[in-house]
Amino acid sequence: MSWPVETNISDWTATSSESWCKPTPMTDKLWLDIENYDARDENGYERYDPPRSCTVTVKAGSVYSKTIQIVQQTHTIIYFPQKDYSREYDWIEDGPTGMTVFLSADGQTRDLLVTTNTWRWIPETDAAWLKVECVNNSTLRLTSTARAETVTAARSAQVKVYDKYNEYFVYSTFTVEDAPATVGGEDFGYGDHTEWD
């Protein structure tokens, strides 16, 4: 890979903190030779290792110095361990895709634990009543607003979680719903209030 460079200095240099990334200064660009990060075990199966990073330092004598962070991911994965705690969640499938998470119709915030080896992930939703955010790389926060009193039907929203650097790499799509409104009561009989005429 390469970055275009505009400079009138001919003797600028570039060094890397890691051997798997080799920078080469050229006339109009910085060329990076980066080794493939294909982590596999002894049997050839994919290994979901953490991302690796290095720092490339560009210098032009004492005039200019700039550092660039390079991050490389291997085979990536994300899942929600809450499937082991199904009393709080209704899992309609065994896995992150297809699950349904219920929130209170009165509005609620719930944090979902995320297990992943990605550098960064992003959640998004198609509903205005639900806010989704990446609190840190291991927590997905869902926050719903209270449903209007006149609305009795349950609301439903889709949540998508994908790689920040590759929006086409969607790890999970699941549903968030708030419980439908219920009305309870008891029979009221004559004689319950004897003071009435």
Side-chain angles (χ1 to χ4, degrees), residues 37 47-53 71-80 114-123 134 136-140 161-167 169-172:
Y37 190 21
R47 238 183 26 231
Y48 301 101
D49 290 353
R52 62 184 183 181
S53 66
V71 177
Q72 192 178 32
Q73 295 185 154
T74 182
H75 312 286
T76 53
I77 192 170
I78 184 172
Y79 66 94
F80 299 89
V114 176
T115 298
T116 181
N117 66 339
T118 62
W119 180 250
R120 294 286 185 272
W121 50 268
I122 293 177
C134 173
N136 52 54
N137 213 37
S138 61
T139 307
L140 168 61
V161 179
Y162 60 90
D163 192 318
K164 178 178 180 179
Y165 301 102
N166 182 1
E167 64 181 282
F169 190 7
V170 178
Y171 295 105
S172 175

Side-chain angles (χ1 to χ4, degrees), residues 184-196:
E186 299 178 358
D187 290 339
F188 184 79
Y190 183 82
D192 289 344
H193 291 274
T194 55
E195 72 275 10
W196 289 1

Side-chain angles (χ1 to χ4, degrees), residues 1-190:
M1 68 178 296
S2 65
W3 273 293
V5 173
E6 293 182 11
T7 181
N8 61 354
I9 301 172
S10 59
D11 60 345
W12 59 282
T13 63
T15 57
S16 172
S17 64
E18 303 295 332
S19 60
W20 53 265
C21 176
K22 298 178 176 65
T24 303
M26 303 180 124
T27 304
D28 59 350
K29 64 185 174 184
L30 172 62
W31 180 263
L32 297 175
D33 285 311
I34 299 177
E35 295 176 7
N36 186 31
Y37 190 21
D38 184 20
R40 293 181 181 272
D41 64 19
E42 62 276 4
N43 298 314
Y45 293 107
E46 296 176 350
R47 238 183 26 231
Y48 301 101
D49 290 353
R52 62 184 183 181
S53 66
C54 75
T55 301
V56 173
T57 304
V58 177
K59 288 186 177 180
S62 61
V63 178
Y64 180 82
S65 180
K66 177 72 174 179
T67 59
I68 305 166
Q69 186 178 29
I70 308 294
V71 177
Q72 192 178 32
Q73 295 185 154
T74 182
H75 312 286
T76 53
I77 192 170
I78 184 172
Y79 66 94
F80 299 89
Q82 278 84 2
K83 67 182 179 182
D84 298 327
Y85 308 105
S86 57
R87 298 316 306 165
E88 290 197 39
Y89 303 92
D90 179 21
W91 300 83
I92 58 177
E93 290 181 15
D94 182 21
T97 296
M99 73 178 181
T100 300
V101 179
F102 288 103
L103 298 179
S104 169
D106 296 327
Q108 182 181 3
T109 295
R110 173 170 285 171
D111 288 347
L112 302 185
L113 178 62
V114 176
T115 298
T116 181
N117 66 339
T118 62
W119 180 250
R120 294 286 185 272
W121 50 268
I122 293 177
E124 67 178 37
T125 182
D126 60 355
W129 60 271
L130 179 67
K131 179 181 178 182
V132 294
E133 55 188 324
C134 173
V135 179
N136 52 54
N137 213 37
S138 61
T139 307
L140 168 61
R141 178 163 295 163
L142 307 174
T143 304
S144 65
T145 58
R147 195 168 61 210
E149 292 184 3
T150 56
V151 177
T152 58
R155 299 173 297 185
S156 178
Q158 292 297 306
V159 175
K160 180 172 73 172
V161 179
Y162 60 90
D163 192 318
K164 178 178 180 179
Y165 301 102
N166 182 1
E167 64 181 282
Y168 301 105
F169 190 7
V170 178
Y171 295 105
S172 175
T173 303
F174 61 92
T175 303
V176 177
E177 293 184 0
D178 59 3
T182 58
V183 177
E186 299 178 358
D187 290 339
F188 184 79
Y190 183 82

